[in-house]
Amino acid sequence: MASGFPMEISGERILTAEALYQACRFPRYPDLQRDIIAQHSPMHAKELSRRFNSLTRSDWEDVRLRVMRWVLRAKLMHNWEKFGKLLTDTGDKIIVEDSYRDIYWGATEKNGIYVGVNALGRLLMELRVQYLKMDKHIPIRLSPTSIPEFLLFGELIEPICFDADHRILARI
């Protein structure tokens, strides 16, 4: 839900990871994806997508974790130093999406213990480990996740190559 980490996916500038994630719910509705991605705030992107729950891809519950994993990796690749620093500044601490509303993506504290799946926190910790192991001076290829109909604006999402300085080298 953080602003300030823009990305370029398939040639499109996307302001927030939340907007990209929400847009991926609607691969058969390019106009709706454009409206979601046009939102300047992650919360507005989420709120807009909720109005169209009935249009959500039928396999969303099965693929949403893989989509979020890819979105977070895209966020890191496009914001290498800034997002990488946020991840490493957490040290080896457990990352928790503190949420009493959504105990799938987050968890809520009950009697000093967090209860919930905390899927977002787990993905961020997984990404932190990967980031720390990466050779930060070689080009990186970000391939799209392998789910059916992984589309943006009616087209397959393209792989992106980043040079050693984490600038987009090429879309392949």
Side-chain angles (χ1 to χ4, degrees):
M1 281 292 181
S3 297
F5 298 94
M7 296 171 275
E8 183 182 319
I9 306 296
S10 297
E12 288 289 327
R13 182 167 166 80
I14 301 173
L15 296 179
T16 68
E18 185 67 24
L20 178 58
Y21 173 78
Q22 293 298 334
C24 288
R25 289 176 48 190
F26 308 101
R28 294 185 179 183
Y29 301 94
D31 290 338
L32 178 54
Q33 286 183 321
R34 285 183 201 288
D35 290 344
I36 292 168
I37 285 173
Q39 303 303 305
H40 290 280
S41 126
M43 187 53 82
H44 288 146
K46 185 174 185 176
E47 288 170 359
L48 177 59
S49 70
R50 283 183 174 161
R51 289 189 234 154
F52 297 93
N53 279 338
S54 64
L55 302 179
T56 299
R57 58 183 299 148
S58 61
D59 62 351
W60 186 241
E61 293 299 312
D62 298 325
V63 302
R64 66 184 175 156
L65 190 67
R66 286 189 286 167
V67 170
M68 182 61 84
R69 179 178 282 120
W70 178 83
V71 166
L72 291 172
R73 188 166 169 92
K75 179 178 177 175
L76 175 61
M77 296 299 108
H78 285 89
N79 300 276
W80 187 257
E81 289 180 20
K82 185 177 175 183
F83 190 44
K85 181 174 178 355
L86 280 177
L87 290 172
T88 58
D89 282 353
T90 63
D92 61 354
K93 294 180 179 130
I94 294 173
I95 300 172
V96 177
E97 162 82 16
D98 191 356
S99 174
Y100 64 90
R101 290 185 195 161
D102 185 347
I103 59 169
Y104 175 74
W105 289 112
T108 188
E109 187 179 354
K110 291 186 180 177
N111 302 321
I113 299 171
Y114 277 96
V115 178
V117 175
N118 191 35
L120 181 59
R122 291 172 189 271
L123 289 174
L124 288 168
M125 290 183 289
E126 174 186 295
L127 187 61
R128 177 179 62 195
V129 168
Q130 292 169 353
Y131 175 77
L132 290 169
K133 289 181 180 178
M134 286 180 191
D135 183 340
K136 294 164 181 56
H137 304 290
I138 62 169
I140 298 172
R141 178 184 165 100
L142 176 63
S143 297
T145 191
S146 61
I147 64 170
E149 292 189 286
F150 196 50
L151 307 173
L152 188 62
F153 311 140
E155 302 290 329
L156 288 173
I157 293 177
E158 303 169 354
I160 308 168
C161 289
F162 296 86
D163 68 15
D165 294 319
H166 303 284
R167 295 178 301 229
I168 293 178
L169 184 61
R171 286 186 297 280
I172 301 171

